[in-house]
């Protein structure tokens, strides 16, 4: 049986957004994971790549439409 998730995908995305705003594109998965107390492997398992996580972090939230 899989271990329960400590952090939701949304929490990870918000942490990634904060890290990207603070450090820019040079932000590593280790920095994002460190904000949450996770390993970078746990983030990769959820999102597949740093690129996908960054895209999710930069996507508008709360029903915002262009």
């Amino acid at each position: 049986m899989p271990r329960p998730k400590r952090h939701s995908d949304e929490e990870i995305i918000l942490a990634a957004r904060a890290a990207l705003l603070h450090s820019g594109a040079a932000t590593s998965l280790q920095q994002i994971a460190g904000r949450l107390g996770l390993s970078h492997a746990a983030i990769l398992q959820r999102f597949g790549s740093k690129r996908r996580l960054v895209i999710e972090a930069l996507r508008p939230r709360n029903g915002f439409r262009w």
Side-chain angles (χ1 to χ4, degrees):
M1 186 163 95
R3 195 177 341 172
K5 296 177 181 177
R6 284 195 308 177
H7 298 285
S8 69
D9 288 351
E10 188 65 23
E11 288 175 308
I12 295 170
I13 290 167
L14 290 174
R17 180 178 287 173
L20 288 164
L21 287 171
H22 183 264
S23 302
T27 300
S28 69
L29 285 178
Q30 289 84 353
Q31 289 172 312
I32 296 166
R35 288 174 172 262
L36 298 166
L38 296 173
S39 68
H40 74 282
I43 293 176
L44 282 176
Q45 189 173 29
R46 292 256 197 111
F47 290 92
S49 67
K50 178 184 172 186
R51 181 176 189 263
R52 182 163 171 240
L53 176 58
V54 169
I55 289 168
E56 289 297 320
L58 297 177
R59 183 170 292 170
R61 296 283 184 251
N62 300 335
F64 178 79
R65 294 187 159 202
W66 292 99

